[in-house]
Every structure is written in structure tokens, then in C-alpha cells.
Amino acid sequence: MPSSACNPTISFAFLLVFFAAVSLYVNQLHLQDIPTVKHAHLQSFLSEGNAQQDDDDAESATDYTASNFSLAGLSCERWGGPSDEASQEMVYWSDIPEDNRHISPFYRPNQFLTFEPDNGGWNNIRMAMETVLALAFAMGRTLVLPPEKEFYLLTAKHHQGQQQRKHFSFAHFFNMRAIHEEHAGLSIISMSEFLSEHVMKGQFVDRATGQATFPPGNRTEWDGAPPAEMDELFRWLRKVAHVAPWNPEKCLAAFPKERDNDANLRELELQMKNNPPHWEDYVDNPVPVDAPAVDRLAENWAERDGLCIYDTEMQHSPLVHFSGDQKLGARLLVHFYAFLFMEDWKQDLWGKRFIRDHVRYIDSIQCAAARVVQAIRQRVRLNWNSESGEFDSFHIRRGDFQYKKTRVEASQILQQAQKKIKDGATVYIATDERDKSYFNPLMEHYDVVFLDDFMAELRGINSNYFGMIDQLVASRGRIFFGCWFSTFSSYIMRLRGYHEGKQKVPGYDQGISNSWYYALEDRFDHMQHYYPVKKVFYAREFPTSWRMIDFHTGVP
């Protein structure tokens, strides 16, 4: 045989090694685009604390990469209890390492997303923030947090004689540092860091002139700026960025399976327009979470006009901005899952688990709520000799609520409650009603308690957090009654859905929850049925946000 002949076995082995080397090289090229080392100077998320600041600053300054933070559970030792065993009942989230390694197919380095916070109440603000976080996660963009500001109704300067924070960043409510550190494909930076380290280096241009542009007055620090000044910054951002005037009432924000290829989404959009689906067809008839894109899109269409596609132009834009301006038709008053549509069902479930597992109130808030829950359970055990310590809960919205049809008399609420709650039960009521005599009809039949009854468990907590603590406590009731149209009630419903899914209570696979509505008779039992996403989106939460979202993860 000529000396140049090759042994087939050796050739095959050589090819295996060659292709492995090529694969490794290609992967290394790709990994050069992926942030393996996170920003080390995240202190700009927050103002420097001082002796008069409350413990949320201390928590936010914690190094969440250290052993004192557990993604999978909740430890309240440093926050004044309760015990780790007792605090676990607050935990609805999971630690799924595969999810933490997920990177959007659209990821590119040095691409950013900025946004303007909603100007409504806290739960409208939270809802829009969740949507923007989900958008950043889907796009693989670095999320730029807005400057610290006063949020509507969260402006109490003092509580029990102590000064407390009233200018907030989202990092004062959610573990933004942890979210940043936990995910390979998602970075979060402050506005000051974005402006000083990227914009001031001439990396961005005015889209109208093509000339390098800089923030108003070359200013990089905007925390606590008056609203008029903050508006000036946002107007400048709109000139620099690709502004996404996506109106959730009119379109679904749609993401292709892969970058630079939205042909399939265009075809699906045409199908929906030619044969519009009806949401009524999906009541008690959910499509499988891994169904083909056409079926999932039909279920979530919700009588909208079309898709707002994350197309090639937008994918390549260095900065995308969401104004949230109602005048521009772009207010993000919508649940994230009711707005984002993923062609790939796995991407859809990744996004839903991302919000559940990572976008949760900071531990000091969770632990304060856990202390109140344990105090209520102890009250029940002592007063009623009940080992379980079970209590029921309400959110009764009064105050400045614009929906007058929900402002019913307490006697009417009692009639609804008695359909599900026996006389003598302990009932926790989260409410903005200050005149407790309003609740007399309920007090005649139930052992009624409020957050005000547990101030000992809330010592040292910023009173601007009390509404969030109310939500968490109410979410642990055996039965819950909420207020239709209230985004405060809606979030409690979703938290309960998360808990019930984790515990696999009867009906969990259909998204059914042991929750009810006390006003609007025809909505009383809506949580006993599967309803698809439909308008008005913010009026309630929908089971698709929690139903079967752990599918195919191996989570028990």
C-alpha cells in the first residue's frame, strides 16, 4: 500500500478531534460576547446609607454572592426572625441553575434598555417594572435602572419618631444586585453608571442629527432630582434611543426564536388577522404550555390588532427606551406575561420563572411579613386551640380607588365571606380604610385583625413598605377575598398561584386558586376557572403566569 494511504480508523478519530476543536473554538468566540465577569461596582444602585436610614439600605448593600444569601430559601436570622423553619412558608420561588445560565438568543455586548417608571400607585409601578425586566431578559440587554425618586403614596418621611427613606430606586424593593449576579445573560446597572461610563465617552448619538450627544448639562447624577428635571433626562433619552411605542392594548411584544429571523412571526400575525381567535374558546380550556406557537399565540391574542416584533432594526439598536407615557400610547399598565409572546415555548417559561424566582421583595420585607404571619398563627392556636393556626384573608380597597362599583358596604362583603368562611374564624384584612368602624359587620362574625395590630413585629421597618408586607401576609390566608380592578389584590392572587403550584393543591394544573372576589357578583368565582389573558389586563392576574411553568425543568 502506498505510504500516503490513510488508516480509516485513524482518519475517523482525527475528524472527531478536528470537529471538537472547531466546536470549542466557535464556542469560545461566542463566549467572548457573554459577560463572564459582572460589574464589581454596583454600589451606585443605591445611595450611601447613614445612621438614620432603615435596614433596606443595609440589605441592598449586601454581597449576594456570599453565603449569606440563599436563592432557594429564606433566612431571617439577620432580620429579627422568625426561625428558618417558620420563614419557609413565605418561599414560593425555586433555584433552577439551568435557568440562571440562560442567555437570550439576541444577546450582544453593550446594548442597553432604559425606561421611565409608571406614575401611578406602587402596584402599577411594580407591574410596569416587571414588564421591563422581562423585556430586558428577553432581549439580553443590560437594564439601566431609573434614578431614585419619590413614588406615589410612598412618601412618609417619618414613622414612630424616626426619619426614614422616601426616595427609592427599584433596588430598595427587589434584590437587583442578586438578579444581576445570578444570571449569565442579564446585567443591571444604575443610571449614573450608564451615563458616566458609557454616554459620557461619546458612545451614543442623537438619532435625528447623527452627532454624539450627552445628557442635559453633562449631568450624570440624577438621584432625587425634582420631577421637572427628571422629565428633562427622559426627554433626552427619547432622542438618543430607539423608542418602542408598543401599546399593550393594541399589540403583543413578540420575540422570534432566533435573531434576524422574524418571518415565522410575520406569518403567524397574518393568520391571526385573517381569522381572529376568541378568548372565550379558551375558558377552562388552556393550551399545553409546550404547544405550537400558533396555538399559544391564539390563546394570548386578546383581541389585539397585531404584533410588535423585536425585529432586526431593533435588535441592532444600541439603546432601546420605553417611555411609559400614556399620551404616546405606550404605558406599560400590563402584566409582563400578558404582553410578551415568545415564539419558542421554552423561552416563554424561562421568562415566567425568571419573574417568579428572582423578582421578589427583598428579604427584610419577606421576613417582616413572616413574623406577622407567625404572630397571627400563634393567635389562632391560643384562642381557638387550633394546631394548624389557619387564618383567612381579605384585601378591601377603599381610599382613592376610582372604581366606585367596588365600594360596597361591609355588610355586603360579609354576605360574600359567609359563603366560604365560617363564623368565628380569624380573618386578616389588608386595607387602606382608616376608619375601622366600617368593618363592624365583619367583626361581629369574625376575629378580625389588621397590620396595625402587629406593630411589635414591624419595629424598625420603613412604613413605606407596609403595603408590600400586607400583600405577603394576605397571600398566606387559607381563603382569600380580593377586590376586582385592584392591582394590589391581583398581585396577591399571583403570589397565591405560585404557592399553590408549588404545593400542587387540587386544581393547580388548571391554574385554579382558592381565591374569590367580594365585589361584582359575576366575578365572585373567576379564580375557580381557567381564564386566558384578556382585556382589561390589569383588572386581575391570569393563571398563565403560574400554571405549569416548571414544565420540563425537573422541579418537584
Side-chain angles (χ1 to χ4, degrees), residues 115-118 120-135 170 174 248-249 331-340 355 359 361 471 485-488 490-491 494 536-542:
F115 71 103
E116 301 168 34
D118 193 89
W122 166 247
N123 283 283
N124 294 351
I125 296 169
R126 173 194 52 76
M127 186 163 48
M129 187 276 300
E130 284 184 341
T131 299
V132 171
L133 261 172
L135 287 165
F170 286 107
F174 301 96
E249 294 289 314
R331 188 183 184 194
L332 297 179
L333 191 61
V334 64
H335 306 299
F336 71 96
Y337 57 85
F339 185 40
L340 276 70
I355 297 296
V359 188
Y361 290 137
Q471 286 180 309
F485 290 122
S486 168
T487 52
F488 188 107
S490 293
Y491 190 49
R494 173 151 44 106
V536 175
F537 301 121
Y538 62 82
R540 56 160 293 175
E541 294 266 6
F542 297 90

Side-chain angles (χ1 to χ4, degrees), residues 161-181:
Q162 296 296 314
Q163 184 178 343
Q164 60 185 18
R165 170 180 294 281
K166 71 182 188 72
H167 287 94
F168 294 99
S169 162
F170 286 107
H172 290 105
F173 305 101
F174 301 96
N175 290 324
M176 290 298 179
R177 177 174 296 190
I179 296 170
H180 168 93
E181 293 287 350

Side-chain angles (χ1 to χ4, degrees), residues 319-512:
L319 177 62
V320 170
H321 181 74
F322 285 86
S323 73
D325 192 327
Q326 193 165 8
K327 296 177 182 177
L328 300 177
R331 188 183 184 194
L332 297 179
L333 191 61
V334 64
H335 306 299
F336 71 96
Y337 57 85
F339 185 40
L340 276 70
F341 175 78
M342 305 294 178
E343 183 183 350
D344 183 348
W345 66 268
K346 290 182 180 179
Q347 299 269 0
D348 177 64
L349 297 186
W350 264 318
K352 290 172 181 175
R353 292 195 300 269
F354 165 68
I355 297 296
R356 179 196 66 185
D357 295 339
H358 301 274
V359 188
R360 64 180 192 267
Y361 290 137
I362 55 177
D363 287 0
S364 57
I365 296 176
Q366 298 279 355
C367 293
R371 293 194 296 274
V372 175
V373 169
Q374 291 308 305
I376 298 172
R377 295 203 187 285
Q378 184 64 14
R379 176 190 180 101
V380 174
R381 293 186 186 105
L382 291 175
N383 290 349
W384 313 113
N385 196 27
S386 167
E387 272 190 43
S388 68
E390 282 187 337
F391 65 96
D392 301 300
S393 56
F394 273 81
H395 169 234
I396 298 178
R397 179 65 194 271
R398 303 280 292 167
D400 61 347
F401 203 37
Q402 67 195 80
Y403 298 101
K404 305 304 180 186
K405 63 178 72 175
T406 66
R407 292 178 66 88
V408 297
E409 294 301 320
S411 57
Q412 293 176 257
I413 297 176
L414 174 64
Q415 291 176 12
Q416 298 291 66
Q418 289 183 313
K419 295 177 183 179
K420 296 295 170 184
I421 303 175
K422 294 181 179 179
D423 278 18
T426 295
V427 173
Y428 178 87
I429 298 180
T431 185
D432 56 355
E433 175 60 68
R434 297 294 85 189
D435 181 5
K436 294 300 192 297
S437 66
Y438 166 82
F439 299 101
N440 284 344
L442 289 161
M443 292 177 178
E444 291 171 4
H445 293 265
Y446 301 122
D447 172 36
V448 174
V449 292
F450 305 92
L451 190 66
D452 295 350
D453 298 319
F454 301 97
M455 285 297 105
E457 282 70 29
L458 302 178
R459 191 173 295 112
I461 298 294
N462 189 321
S463 64
N464 290 304
Y465 289 161
F466 284 179
M468 298 152 216
I469 295 169
D470 248 347
Q471 286 180 309
L472 294 173
V473 175
S475 76
R476 303 310 299 129
R478 179 184 64 96
I479 285 175
F480 173 68
F481 277 86
C483 179
W484 191 271
F485 290 122
S486 168
T487 52
F488 188 107
S489 280
S490 293
Y491 190 49
I492 296 171
M493 297 286 191
R494 173 151 44 106
L495 295 177
R496 291 174 63 78
Y498 289 151
H499 280 291
E500 289 161 342
K502 187 170 186 174
Q503 297 160 5
K504 291 184 170 51
V505 301
Y508 83 95
D509 55 339
Q510 294 293 303
I512 292 173

